Amino acid sequence: MKNIIFVFSALLALTSCSNNDNNSSEDTSSSENNSILPKTISYVYPNVNLGTNSTSTLNYDGNKIISSVKKDSKTTFIYEGNLITKQEQFDIDSNGKEIKDVEVLYTYESGKLKTRITREYFTTKYPNGEYIGKTVYTHVSNSLISYIDYTVDIDTQIETKISEGTFTYKDGNLIEDKNVRGVSTSTRTYEYDIKNNPLKNILGLDLLLKETEISRNNILKIKRVDSGLPNPSVYLTNYIYNDKDFPTKQTSLAGDGKSVEYEIEYTY
């Protein structure tokens, strides 16, 4: 299943922004810092085999994100109040025509994400999408969220469970993501800096959990342990910050800890 526009497998997701007494960026509570939003986000790959360079331009209404536009794609965001209830991703062909590719619907309970329904591959035969995925979330506590992933039969609407897992949070950051699929278990643990995540001020993104991987701070290290594999994988990320402690450049290293997998550059 595709990610939506923020394909930030190196960027971050939270359920609540707890106070962090060890955070040096105390001025993040100021109205000036709360208004800092990324204008462009550029992905740069060291070679074409790893990915295609791209730049997204983000458009806002206040702190609400309205759209993210690249040369060949566009994602729009719909709000109800301060909650994002819908995302739509479009491919843009050479004539500038927009063709819907992905649609995601969100529901909430007591201001917290309850369900996410993803529809993909829209055709004349399947006007509502050929693929439907559904995730149901249970907020066990302020720091623990469990979830179940399903596929939904396009004809019968029968839901089939494919995996389940838990998210564990601390100080507004996801610190563990555990997923169980059949007999296989994958666990990711995260370590962070004490600076500002570039997307933290976009209203409503923090409620979408790990989909967009938006956190309070920035990931420095991801350790992934998979059952059935002898050794864990470790991924490291380095940052350059501006005078407001927001990243202007992010360098993500491959599993060997040496070679560059990709870089992300931000303007504000």
Side-chain angles (χ1 to χ4, degrees), residues 62-173:
N63 279 47
K64 296 181 179 181
I65 184 167
I66 302 304
S67 64
S68 179
V69 182
K70 295 197 294 186
K71 180 179 179 180
D72 57 358
S73 66
K74 173 182 179 180
T75 295
T76 60
F77 300 79
I78 304 298
Y79 285 78
E80 289 185 10
N82 293 332
L83 302 176
I84 297 173
T85 56
K86 185 177 183 179
Q87 286 193 59
E88 289 184 299
Q89 182 173 299
F90 301 86
D91 292 330
I92 301 175
D93 67 17
S94 58
N95 295 318
K97 182 180 179 181
E98 298 179 0
I99 304 167
K100 186 161 74 170
D101 187 35
V102 183
E103 175 184 277
V104 186
L105 301 175
Y106 307 96
T107 67
Y108 299 82
E109 186 174 271
S110 301
K112 297 179 179 180
L113 187 64
K114 182 62 177 178
T115 65
R116 179 187 69 191
I117 297 176
T118 304
R119 298 177 182 270
E120 299 185 49
Y121 313 123
F122 296 88
T123 62
T124 303
K125 182 178 179 180
Y126 296 103
N128 294 316
E130 186 175 355
Y131 170 86
I132 303 176
K134 180 179 181 180
T135 303
V136 178
Y137 301 94
T138 300
H139 294 258
V140 181
S141 68
N142 287 334
S143 61
L144 182 65
I145 299 169
S146 63
Y147 65 88
I148 302 176
D149 293 319
Y150 301 90
T151 58
V152 182
D153 187 275
I154 192 65
D155 298 313
T156 66
Q157 299 299 300
I158 293 175
E159 299 176 0
T160 302
K161 177 180 172 181
I162 57 174
S163 71
E164 62 182 324
T166 56
F167 299 143
T168 303
Y169 293 85
K170 181 181 179 182
D171 298 327
N173 293 318

Side-chain angles (χ1 to χ4, degrees), residues 13 23 39-40 69-70 106 123 129 136 142 146 167 180 187 190 204 225-226 232 258:
N23 195 328
K39 295 179 180 179
T40 64
V69 182
K70 295 197 294 186
Y106 307 96
T123 62
V136 178
N142 287 334
S146 63
F167 299 143
V180 179
T187 302
Y190 301 81
V225 178
D226 293 294
K258 298 178 182 179

Side-chain angles (χ1 to χ4, degrees), residues 226-245:
D226 293 294
S227 62
L229 296 180
N231 300 311
S233 299
V234 177
Y235 303 91
L236 303 176
T237 305
N238 302 316
Y239 300 89
I240 297 174
Y241 308 93
N242 63 18
D243 60 353
K244 299 295 184 181
D245 285 343

